[in-house]
């Protein structure tokens, strides 16, 4: 990919799943990583995997303390910011508690808004940058039992379009990526029957791999995509076709 070497890249939720695959991809491209994730035991493992060019910030993106820690790193410069951290708290509308609603909005939307804003202001000052948001294909067609999650993933697409209009003139590009069924460890650990059912629904007849999402983040962050802003790329094996 063009021009990712030496770039300062933040990946929230970068210690597992798609975020980890994205960290691996940008590391291979020669970028300087800032991996943000919930407090865990993973720091040693990450340091072994990324022996140089990596800062690990243990932070909850939905807290002001977490946002402040990330802002502190951003103050030193940021070229790419990937809002990847996301959670689900599923229940049908009738059974959903306000707490489930609030938790999902706090991580998947409010944190995305706050961190995108901080990153965009810094990028404007620097003369450019790329912000990438994790949406989902369910933003396009809804999903039973996921009103909170779907609302956030659709909102992220709207936020992306609006930010693209506000920040385009400063050389800051904002795009989102909508993964379909991706074979993260959580999905792979589901009963074989359920995984097979998911695969059958996809025109390409298989789950996606985390590195196939990472590849699109790398493309959108790179100069190969320098005329792309405000869009949402579906990476879903064709599932949105219905
Ligand atoms: P994942 O494996 O659960 O990884 C998400 C990471 O984010 C985890 O390490 C998690 O930590 C961390 N995280 C959660 N809440 C956080 C917070 N408040 N602050 C900081 N870090 C936090 O998820 P994934 O499947 O790779 O998904 C990544 C993104 O893609 C999400 O936004 C998701 O909605 C989106 N997506 C995924 C799929 C899919 O099929 N996998 C499909 C469509 C969209 P803990 O493990 O400690 O919670």
């Amino acid at each position: 990919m063009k021009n990712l070497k030496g770039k300062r890249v933040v990946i929230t939720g970068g210690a597992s799943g798609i975020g980890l695959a994205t960290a691996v991809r940008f590391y291979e491209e020669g970028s300087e990583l800032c991996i943000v994730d919930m407090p865990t035991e993973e720091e040693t493992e990450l340091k072994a995997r990324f022996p140089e060019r990596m800062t690990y910030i243990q932070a909850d993106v939905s807290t002001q303390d977490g946002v402040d820690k990330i802002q502190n790193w951003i103050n030193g410069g940021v070229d790419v910011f990937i809002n990847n951290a996301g959670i689900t708290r599923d229940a049908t509308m009738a059974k959903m508690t306000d707490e489930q609603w609030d938790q999902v909005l706090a991580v998947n939307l409010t944190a995305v808004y706050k961190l995108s804003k901080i990153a965009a202001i810094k990028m404007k000052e620097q003369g450019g940058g790329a912000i990438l948001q994790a949406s989902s294909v369910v933003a396009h067609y809804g999903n039973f039992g996921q009103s909170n999650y779907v609302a956030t993933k659709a909102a992220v697409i709207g936020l992306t379009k609006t930010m693209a209009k506000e920040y385009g003139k400063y050389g800051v590009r904002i795009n989102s990526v909508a993964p379909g069924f991706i074979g993260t460890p959580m999905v792979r650990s589901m009963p074989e029957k359920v995984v097979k059912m998911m695969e059958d629904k996809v025109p390409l007849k298989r789950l996606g791999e985390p590195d196939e999402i990472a590849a699109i983040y790398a493309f959108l962050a790179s100069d190969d995509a320098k005329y792309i802003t405000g869009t949402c790329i579906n990476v879903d094996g064709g599932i949105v076709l219905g």
Side-chain angles (χ1 to χ4, degrees):
M1 292 293 162
K2 261 192 209 160
N3 291 0
L4 292 180
K5 193 162 183 220
K7 296 288 186 206
R8 283 171 64 86
V9 180
V10 182
I11 305 164
T12 67
S16 79
I18 293 169
L20 179 59
T22 303
V24 168
R25 178 57 192 263
F26 278 83
Y27 192 74
E28 285 167 1
E29 296 282 352
S31 304
E32 171 88 32
L33 303 182
C34 172
I35 295 177
V36 179
D37 213 296
M38 293 288 275
T40 55
E41 306 300 314
E42 280 145 351
E43 187 164 4
T44 317
E45 207 179 296
L46 287 172
K47 283 202 169 134
R49 200 187 267 262
F50 308 112
E52 50 190 19
R53 294 181 279 116
M54 195 278 290
T55 303
Y56 184 43
I57 298 180
Q58 294 204 343
D60 177 343
V61 295
S62 67
T63 64
Q64 192 54 46
D65 178 58
V67 171
D68 291 344
K69 282 186 190 167
I70 299 165
Q71 178 155 27
N72 198 34
W73 194 88
I74 286 178
N75 286 342
V78 62
D79 301 296
V80 179
F81 193 98
I82 307 177
N83 270 304
N84 164 77
I87 59 167
T88 53
R89 297 288 183 270
D90 296 353
T92 56
M93 280 281 279
K95 291 189 178 151
M96 184 163 297
T97 62
D98 286 352
E99 196 189 2
Q100 286 174 310
W101 176 266
D102 290 343
Q103 280 177 348
V104 171
L105 261 81
V107 177
N108 297 11
L109 184 57
T110 306
V112 171
Y113 154 73
K114 287 188 181 177
L115 293 169
S116 296
K117 185 168 162 176
I118 292 166
I121 289 168
K122 184 68 184 173
M123 288 173 184
K124 175 184 168 187
E125 186 188 305
Q126 292 172 179
I131 298 175
L132 299 162
Q133 324 285 30
S135 182
S136 166
V137 285
V138 297
H140 304 308
Y141 51 69
N143 207 20
F144 191 94
Q146 286 198 313
S147 57
N148 49 1
Y149 181 80
V150 173
T152 61
K153 294 302 180 183
V156 153
I157 294 176
L159 176 68
T160 298
K161 290 177 181 170
T162 301
M163 286 191 74
K165 288 191 172 183
E166 292 185 0
Y167 281 92
K169 58 180 173 291
Y170 305 117
V172 183
R173 297 184 297 105
I174 301 96
N175 290 292
S176 47
V177 173
F181 297 137
I182 306 303
T184 50
M186 193 191 73
V187 173
R188 291 273 181 217
S189 67
M190 287 177 177
E192 213 174 296
K193 217 169 72 184
V194 178
V195 174
K196 178 83 179 62
M197 243 166 55
M198 287 168 139
E199 288 173 340
D200 280 347
K201 283 190 183 166
V202 181
L204 288 180
K205 299 295 169 207
R206 66 173 177 85
L207 300 181
E209 294 299 329
D211 65 354
E212 290 173 316
I213 306 300
I216 303 308
Y217 280 136
F219 165 67
L220 286 172
S222 77
D223 278 359
D224 288 329
K226 63 182 186 293
Y227 202 53
I228 301 180
T229 194
T231 199
C232 175
I233 297 190
N234 300 328
V235 188
D236 65 347
I239 197 167
V240 287
L241 302 173

